[in-house]
Amino acid sequence: MAMALPFYLGGYFAIDMCVGSLILFIWETIDKANADAFAPAVASGLICGDGIWALPSSILGFAGVKPPICMKFLSKKDNARVDDFLSS
């Protein structure tokens, strides 16, 4: 089931789960009692926060706003060629 989630919900969800699991692992090694007590509440808050961001994100997407972050690992010349291809 956990392996199928990114295929249904997108890759960002798997990255969020991985980072959250890493934070919980570190939190449990530092303070096991508080991690056990507050981990469900913190996880619920983070999930709700991600859902709240979906509305502004979709409005910005409809408005055609491009994010300033580039996740392509290409040279500057190749990146310009890809951007020209995608914009046409």
Side-chain angles (χ1 to χ4, degrees):
M1 178 78 175
M3 293 295 288
L5 282 176
F7 293 106
Y8 291 116
L9 301 174
Y12 68 91
F13 191 72
I15 294 169
D16 291 347
M17 287 176 56
C18 180
V19 171
S21 297
L22 180 64
I23 291 170
L24 181 61
F25 176 75
I26 293 170
W27 190 12
E28 284 181 343
T29 58
I30 294 171
D31 188 6
K32 177 87 170 141
N34 279 335
D36 287 341
F38 294 112
V42 172
S44 298
L46 291 173
I47 290 169
C48 181
D50 191 36
I52 290 172
W53 172 246
L55 180 63
S57 176
S58 62
I59 291 171
L60 291 173
F62 285 132
V65 176
K66 291 186 178 182
I69 300 171
C70 177
M71 294 300 290
K72 296 179 282 193
F73 299 103
L74 304 171
S75 67
K76 186 176 182 178
K77 183 178 90 174
D78 290 337
N79 193 23
R81 283 187 19 219
V82 169
D83 285 340
D84 289 339
F85 175 75
L86 291 175
S87 66
S88 60

